Each structure stands twice: as structure tokens, then as C-alpha cells.
Amino acid sequence: MRADRLLTLLLLLQNRGRMTAPQLAAELEVSVRTVYRDVEALGACGVPVLTERGPQGGFRLVEGYRTRLTGLTDAEAGSLVLAGLPGPAGELGLGAVLASAQLKVEAALPDGLAEQARRVRERFHLDAPAWFRDADPVPYLAVVARAVWERRVLRTRYARWRGEVRREVRPLGLVLKGGIWYLVALADDAVRTYRVSRFQEVEETGEVFVRPAGFGLAAYWTETSRRLEAALRQDTARLRLSPRGRKLLPMQFGAAGARALDRAGPPDADGWVEVELPVESEAVATGDLLRLGVEAEVLGPPGLRRAVAEAVTVLADRYAADADGQEAELYEQDRKFPRNSQPGTC
């Protein structure tokens, strides 16, 4: 472990130039005292590390020195596919391995390309999870990922909507979609998709399985997503949208909302337009469309219009009851304490 850390320290100094002891300690996840010991060890091995004191000081390599110890291990090479996803790499237990691999790749690049890679890293960042949603707890993700890599059969307990189920699964791949991890696995002679956070128990059996010939994870996921979307979009809603509603539609409904606006008719004198929007079941669509508030009117189908109207009526009655209660309370206060003689006034 110390040899790996010394190599990482060396590559950090080579790739980034002067670094302070606290900066190195943060990168290596060790104490400052350990950094000083490691720097001494590098010097004892013949690596020309200069120590510069003062506010602008730190450690750096002698000008022109470069190491060629940049060969990737199998784990490091495999982790590079996650180079733009440090968070998910950490969840998979590959955070330190990925960091080491990136340092080695950067150290092996010619000076011009290395500088370009640094600029890209400084200017672009991928954040996979959606806004305003906590990440799923995935305590078994590392176990599942290891089973995917090693083709190990897992014995699991999984929480479905209809209750829990126990199955032996043969993990084929992991997919990160919108910040949520999914496992694609063979179970009961069928390829199924599992949300990793819903696993209640995961146990390795030690049994190794053979992957199905010709199975492609990306192709399976694309086809499954297409079929799921087609199954969910059961109906088409006709809407009138205000000018503000036209801005809200793609924000609330994504690509489906944007496509509906592209096919919208011309606006009327007040700027309202009519659109046709694919929606899910009536119950789900009612809640989704209510998020547009007063900026939309459901024209059809008749059942969906009635469902939205009923929901609006219930809300209106509920808030009207609250308003009546507040009015009664204010009336009672005014009766006891006329406004020109409130307690604490003169």
C-alpha cells in the first residue's frame, strides 16, 4: 500500500507541480506527518524532491525530472470508463483506483496533451443525479459490482411494489440512470432489471456463471427503456397553455414537453396555444398536470379533464375551509379586542 502511495505522490508532483503538505495529505487521504515521511522516502530512493519553505512554499520535483513508472494495473485500466464520474466510481469502490489511473494517464501524455487534459478537467464537470433529490442508499452496490465483474451468482432478497421476493440472480451489468443504480441480471431464465437500492439482502454464493452469448448491456437498456416509455405513455392529453405555461412544459415533462411545443398550433390573441402531450395513466397524469397550475387547461380527453377538475375542487374546498377558519378566528379577535384597543397598545 505504501509503494502505491509513494507512486501516487510522485505522479501528483509531476503532473501538478508545486504542492503543499496539506494539499498532498488531502489527495492521498493521509496525515500531514505521513506526507513528510513519504517525501523523505522518495528522496532516499533517489527522486529529486525539493522542499521550499515560506507562504508560497511546498514540495516540487527538480525541473525536467519525469518518471516513466506509468503502467496501468488491470483495475486501473478498467476504472477509466468512469473517468467522468468520480462520484459513481467512489460508490463502486473504485475512487482511489480511478484517481491513480488518471494520474498515470496524465503523466504518460506529451506536455501539450497533458495541459489540454488539465484544462478540460478544470472547465467541464458531469453531475449525474437529478436536482433536489437525495441519492438512493446503495449499501450493497460494491458487492453487486464485484459480482458483475467476477460473474458470481448472488442470492438476494428484493423489495418489489407487490412485496418481497427471494431470487438467485446472475449479474450481467450495472446502469446509472439519473443518479439511480440499476442491476441487469439473469433470473429464472429471463433478463430482468433491479433497482439496487431495493435489495434488502445480498449474499455471494461462490458459484461462477457463464454470460449469455451475444448479450449487449447498452442494446438491452435502450430497448427496455423504449418499451417502458411506450407502456407508460398510455394516452394523449390536449392542453391549452399560457405563455408562462409554454416555458413550464419542457421543464416539467422534458423531451416529451419540448416535442409537444414543437407541434403546437399558433397562439391566440392572448398568447395561449394548444398542444397534445403523451401522458401516463389518468391518476398519474392528473398529478403531473396539476404541477402546471393555472398556466394550463386540460381540454381532453373528457375523463382526464374531469379528474383534474375534481382534484382542483377538492383543493379549493380544503383551502376555503382553512380561509373560513382564519376569518372566524380574526372575527373573534376583533370582537374581543377592537382594532383601536389591541392588547399592548395605548
Side-chain angles (χ1 to χ4, degrees):
M1 288 297 294
R2 192 188 185 198
D4 290 341
R5 192 174 70 239
L6 291 175
L7 178 56
T8 301
L9 190 156
L10 173 57
L11 293 175
L12 283 168
L13 294 177
Q14 178 173 305
N15 294 342
R16 302 185 188 179
R18 182 188 293 108
M19 296 184 69
T20 66
Q23 288 173 335
L24 288 167
E27 289 285 347
L28 298 171
E29 298 182 350
V30 297
S31 67
V32 171
R33 180 178 298 180
T34 298
V35 169
Y36 279 104
R37 286 200 298 263
D38 287 350
V39 169
E40 290 180 4
L42 284 179
C45 294
V47 177
V49 182
L50 298 180
T51 302
E52 299 177 343
R53 302 188 182 280
Q56 303 301 318
F59 302 109
R60 68 176 179 85
L61 297 175
V62 169
E63 192 71 30
Y65 177 85
R66 291 185 67 84
T67 179
R68 294 302 174 188
L69 298 175
T70 55
L72 294 175
T73 66
D74 290 345
E76 289 168 345
S79 71
L80 284 175
V81 71
L82 297 169
L85 298 167
E91 291 178 340
L92 291 170
L94 296 172
V97 175
L98 175 60
S100 176
Q102 289 175 314
L103 282 171
K104 289 182 178 180
V105 170
E106 190 173 316
L109 291 173
D111 289 342
L113 291 180
E115 179 58 29
Q116 182 176 353
R118 280 192 290 271
R119 286 200 302 269
V120 171
R121 187 175 60 246
E122 291 171 353
R123 291 163 172 77
F124 295 95
H125 175 68
L126 176 62
D127 185 11
W131 282 103
F132 312 121
R133 185 178 65 200
D134 293 335
D136 277 358
V138 282
Y140 297 109
L141 180 60
V143 177
V144 171
R146 185 168 60 248
V148 169
W149 187 252
E150 298 176 356
R151 295 181 290 112
R152 300 281 181 178
V153 178
L154 295 175
R155 188 175 294 115
T156 67
R157 179 166 62 91
Y158 185 76
R160 302 183 302 179
W161 293 113
R162 298 187 301 275
E164 293 184 351
V165 62
R166 294 182 180 271
R167 281 201 180 107
E168 284 194 353
V169 301
R170 289 159 173 76
L172 302 176
L174 283 164
V175 176
L176 180 63
K177 171 73 171 178
I180 299 173
W181 285 102
Y182 295 92
L183 171 67
V184 177
L186 190 63
D188 298 334
D189 297 322
V191 178
R192 304 173 186 268
T193 302
Y194 300 90
R195 186 163 172 166
V196 176
S197 63
R198 292 184 186 158
F199 282 114
Q200 307 301 300
E201 294 177 10
V202 174
E203 178 186 356
E204 294 180 339
T205 65
E207 178 185 350
V208 178
F209 69 93
V210 177
R211 289 176 63 86
F215 175 79
L217 180 62
Y220 165 83
W221 186 259
T222 300
E223 177 60 20
T224 300
S225 300
R226 185 194 62 78
R227 285 192 280 106
L228 177 61
E229 184 174 359
L232 289 177
R233 304 298 184 186
Q234 299 177 3
D235 210 339
T236 300
R238 291 188 299 108
L239 310 174
R240 282 185 72 239
L241 295 172
S242 70
R244 184 166 183 269
R246 291 154 61 182
K247 296 178 181 178
L248 291 175
L249 193 69
M251 295 171 60
Q252 299 288 359
F253 292 89
R259 286 193 295 269
L261 283 176
D262 288 340
R263 297 190 294 265
D268 61 19
D270 296 321
W272 289 62
V273 299
E274 292 190 14
V275 301
E276 292 189 349
L277 177 72
V279 293
E280 298 185 35
S281 64
E282 186 176 286
V284 175
T286 299
D288 289 345
L289 293 172
L290 284 173
R291 291 184 299 175
L292 297 172
V294 297
E295 309 302 332
E297 177 189 357
V298 178
L299 302 177
L304 180 58
R305 181 179 172 90
R306 283 195 299 271
V308 173
E310 290 170 2
V312 171
T313 300
V314 170
L315 287 172
D317 291 344
R318 184 171 299 156
Y319 285 103
D322 290 345
D324 291 344
Q326 292 174 1
E327 287 291 335
E329 183 178 348
L330 289 173
Y331 172 78
E332 188 65 20
Q333 290 178 358
D334 284 345
R335 191 176 65 81
K336 292 180 179 179
F337 308 105
R339 293 187 185 275
N340 59 355
S341 60
Q342 289 290 333
T345 65
C346 57

